[in-house]
Amino acid sequence: KYAVKLVDGTLLRVLPKLAMTRYVKRKDQQPYHAWRIHMELQVGMPAPERFERTGARGDERKNLKRHLKPGCCYVTDRGYHDVGLFNRIHDAQSRYVCRARDSLKYEVVRENPLTQADRDAGIVCDQMVKIGQNRKDPPNHPVRLVIVEAEVHAKRTRKGNKPSSGKILLVTDLCVEEAAAEVVGV
């Protein structure tokens, strides 16, 4: 006869107490209340496959290393750019596409030819490269760099704002046969 509705008004009282459990001071001694949410969302699925909250200093790369699965293609931002992580993903029988910093140091090994579809998608170049060669453990697999033309925008840095390069650098272990440059660049 009646619709059952669950109602709870304690969240607002509990949230400040929860925040206090994670209370730390920043370097400038100001209060710092933050959490880091680690999430994996499979494209086409309505909800995250994995969702985890850690403290503000939770390391994204370490978190992903603990949850790697075979048969995935992990698409990540610059915060995940780490040769050791790339090796772990590749060793787990998965793939990655990671946005790299504009300052990426690399040596071109080979130019991959661009198709008209690649050029139409704004692909500037598709190259096989060497990265991280000065590291103790350099990549243990071929690395591909796809550079995409992008709109120049203000970029926040520790030294203030400066214009971006107008290019997006993407490193991946997907070979040309697995994904065309235009697909990597989307």
Side-chain angles (χ1 to χ4, degrees), residues 69-74 87-95 173:
K69 296 179 188 172
C72 299
C73 181
Y74 295 97
N87 286 341
R88 292 278 297 271
I89 292 170
H90 190 81
D91 292 346
Q93 306 288 316
S94 283
R95 297 289 184 261
D173 62 344

Side-chain angles (χ1 to χ4, degrees), residues 37-58:
I37 302 299
H38 306 274
M39 185 170 51
E40 288 180 30
L41 177 65
Q42 183 174 326
V43 174
M45 298 301 287
E49 183 176 317
R50 185 177 68 82
F51 183 93
E52 184 178 345
R53 181 194 57 81
T54 63
R57 294 188 177 127

Side-chain angles (χ1 to χ4, degrees), residues 40 63-70 74 85 88-89 92:
E40 288 180 30
N63 187 278
L64 180 55
K65 281 179 189 177
R66 286 194 311 270
H67 295 92
L68 292 174
K69 296 179 188 172
Y74 295 97
L85 175 59
R88 292 278 297 271
I89 292 170

Side-chain angles (χ1 to χ4, degrees), residues 11-184:
L11 178 62
L12 292 177
R13 283 184 268 152
V14 172
L15 190 56
K17 291 177 185 173
L18 182 59
M20 292 302 292
T21 66
R22 292 290 184 179
Y23 181 81
V24 295
K25 297 251 185 196
R26 297 186 312 206
K27 288 180 183 178
D28 63 2
Q29 297 303 308
Q30 294 298 311
Y32 187 60
H33 303 276
W35 297 282
R36 185 174 302 278
I37 302 299
H38 306 274
M39 185 170 51
E40 288 180 30
L41 177 65
Q42 183 174 326
V43 174
M45 298 301 287
E49 183 176 317
R50 185 177 68 82
F51 183 93
E52 184 178 345
R53 181 194 57 81
T54 63
R57 294 188 177 127
D59 188 307
E60 295 169 316
R61 294 174 297 241
K62 286 180 183 176
N63 187 278
L64 180 55
K65 281 179 189 177
R66 286 194 311 270
H67 295 92
L68 292 174
K69 296 179 188 172
C72 299
C73 181
Y74 295 97
V75 179
T76 64
D77 66 11
R78 291 177 287 225
Y80 290 86
H81 188 142
D82 176 67
V83 171
L85 175 59
F86 297 160
N87 286 341
R88 292 278 297 271
I89 292 170
H90 190 81
D91 292 346
Q93 306 288 316
S94 283
R95 297 289 184 261
Y96 63 86
V97 176
C98 180
R99 183 171 181 181
R101 291 178 175 82
D102 293 341
S103 61
L104 176 69
K105 305 267 189 275
Y106 60 93
E107 176 187 333
V108 178
V109 175
R110 182 182 80 231
E111 291 279 345
N112 295 324
L114 295 179
T115 65
Q116 187 58 48
D118 293 336
R119 287 191 271 295
D120 292 345
I123 305 300
V124 175
C125 65
D126 181 1
Q127 306 166 322
M128 298 307 295
V129 297
K130 288 184 178 180
I131 63 170
Q133 297 303 302
N134 59 344
R135 293 178 48 94
K136 180 178 136 195
D137 296 316
N140 60 9
H141 56 277
V143 176
R144 183 175 170 200
L145 173 66
V146 175
I147 300 178
V148 184
E149 193 172 18
E151 189 175 313
V152 176
H153 62 280
K155 189 167 108 176
R156 291 178 300 181
T157 68
R158 290 183 176 151
K159 297 177 182 176
N161 290 346
K162 70 177 192 173
S164 69
S165 69
K167 294 181 175 120
I168 297 173
L169 283 66
L170 301 167
V171 291
T172 183
D173 62 344
L174 288 165
C175 65
V176 174
E177 294 77 23
E178 291 174 308
E182 67 168 308
V183 172
V184 172

